[in-house]
Amino acid sequence: MAAPPGRHARIEAGREAIHPKQNQDSPRTVPMTLTHPEPANGAPLSDDRRAIALFLDFDGTLVEIAPSPADVRLDRRVPAALEALRGSLSGALALVSGRPVSFIDGVLDPYRFDVAALHGAEIRLGGRIHSHTEASAPMRDALRDLVRFANSHVGIIVENKDISIALHWRLAPQLKDEALALMCALAERLGPTVRLQEGKAVAELVPASASKGAAIAQLMQEPPYAGRLPVFIGDDITDEHGFEAVNALGGLSIRIGDGETRARLRIASPTALRAILLDAADRGSLTASHFHQG
């Protein structure tokens, strides 16, 4: 849909427009039932003698937040460093992100990692995709409403991820209240199968059963993650479910930057986190203690 003259509305397709490359293979899709974490009955915060399972958010964690979803820039050293860390962790490394699997593959090419994408609605474990159903007709109707809103407001970006839709107002912060009101109305119209997920200058309509916490809890039941100390690093409201799940499992939750959080540890910035990860990759070892030192 074209914007009126003088407008600069942007629509970005999460599966098509914002990643440089696609995986040429078509992973097998199988059903997965997400479970919610059970309390850990006061399990200790961390135990440096245990091997860790590392879960990493992407935006605001591995990369700095950008003006639009398409503008992020990943340090070119990071993909190879993550591959080295995956090897040292016997495979127990996954990306946990609001982005689609296809985007993560594009920015980390040529490597393919385990991914809990779209806030946990789409999971790839060991090369196999576990995903919820495709977008419903009501969700497609909501997308059209959001496109109309973006076409009439400068700086609003709609990010279509098929089974979820994000509305960004980072380039138009004065429109926050209006954008949020629209997303709340759409969430109410869509009903209990969809929930509204808020983040930094963004709100997203996602499947109600999906959350980063549930995805991490599910992965922790599967090899190579089972039996390890979970470590989850994120930066936003969207990561709080993940922090809560990791805390319940007795693991280490880490927030990048300031702000209220359930996380039990902080790292100042994505730059500081990258320094920790790059150093650990060079050394060939990563433990919970690296993050306490960071």
Side-chain angles (χ1 to χ4, degrees):
M1 181 180 296
R7 298 294 187 182
H8 304 281
R10 296 174 60 183
I11 305 167
E12 298 182 353
R15 294 177 180 271
E16 298 176 358
I18 61 176
H19 52 86
K21 296 183 181 180
Q22 294 272 359
N23 185 3
Q24 298 302 311
D25 299 326
S26 297
R28 179 184 175 190
T29 300
V30 297
M32 171 179 270
T33 301
L34 295 181
T35 58
H36 291 275
E38 296 296 331
N41 297 321
L45 172 63
S46 65
D47 183 349
D48 291 342
R49 294 170 297 178
R50 290 177 60 189
I52 68 170
L54 182 61
F55 302 98
L56 295 164
D57 175 44
F58 184 77
D59 293 278
T61 300
L62 285 179
V63 298
E64 284 75 12
I65 296 290
S68 81
D71 294 333
V72 296
R73 295 292 179 267
L74 180 65
D75 186 315
R76 60 185 177 80
R77 300 170 294 173
V78 167
L82 294 181
E83 176 65 10
L85 290 173
R86 175 167 62 176
S88 69
L89 296 172
S90 300
L93 184 152
L95 283 297
V96 182
S97 173
R99 300 280 199 164
V101 169
S102 56
F103 172 85
I104 297 297
D105 284 351
V107 295
L108 296 178
D109 188 74
Y111 307 107
R112 297 292 180 265
F113 296 91
D114 290 344
V115 184
L118 301 178
H119 305 285
E122 184 178 47
I123 295 177
R124 181 173 64 205
L125 174 61
R128 302 170 68 190
I129 292 287
H130 310 261
S131 180
H132 289 264
T133 58
E134 294 300 312
S136 64
M139 185 72 90
R140 291 192 292 272
D141 290 341
L143 173 62
R144 284 192 286 271
D145 289 345
L146 292 172
V147 168
R148 283 193 289 270
F149 181 73
N151 282 335
S152 59
H153 293 83
V154 175
I156 294 292
I157 299 171
V158 176
E159 186 182 6
N160 179 19
K161 307 178 188 179
D162 288 347
I163 61 176
S164 69
I165 311 167
L167 187 70
H168 299 262
W169 57 85
R170 183 168 299 277
L171 298 175
Q174 74 280 5
L175 295 173
K176 174 183 176 180
D177 291 344
E178 190 174 352
L180 266 179
L182 174 59
M183 291 296 277
C184 288
L186 290 174
E188 183 174 359
R189 188 177 85 192
L190 289 167
T193 61
V194 170
R195 68 179 174 85
L196 182 62
Q197 174 71 68
E198 295 184 39
K200 294 177 178 177
V202 62
E204 187 165 354
L205 299 169
V206 301
S209 58
S211 80
K212 292 185 178 183
I216 290 172
Q218 183 67 40
L219 289 171
M220 285 299 298
Q221 297 176 29
E222 306 287 344
Y225 303 93
R228 288 174 171 260
L229 180 78
V231 176
F232 175 49
I233 308 175
D235 76 299
D236 201 353
I237 300 170
T238 62
D239 300 309
E240 291 298 319
H241 291 122
F243 297 149
E244 186 175 19
V246 167
N247 292 345
L249 293 167
L252 182 61
S253 53
I254 305 172
R255 177 168 175 128
I256 302 294
D258 56 12
E260 293 186 7
T261 184
R262 296 184 181 93
R264 298 180 177 177
L265 191 68
R266 293 184 191 268
I267 293 175
S269 65
T271 300
L273 173 62
R274 287 196 299 272
I276 293 170
L277 297 177
L278 291 169
D279 179 68
D282 286 342
R283 295 173 182 271
S285 175
L286 180 65
T287 66
S289 64
H290 285 84
F291 302 108
H292 288 286
Q293 295 167 5

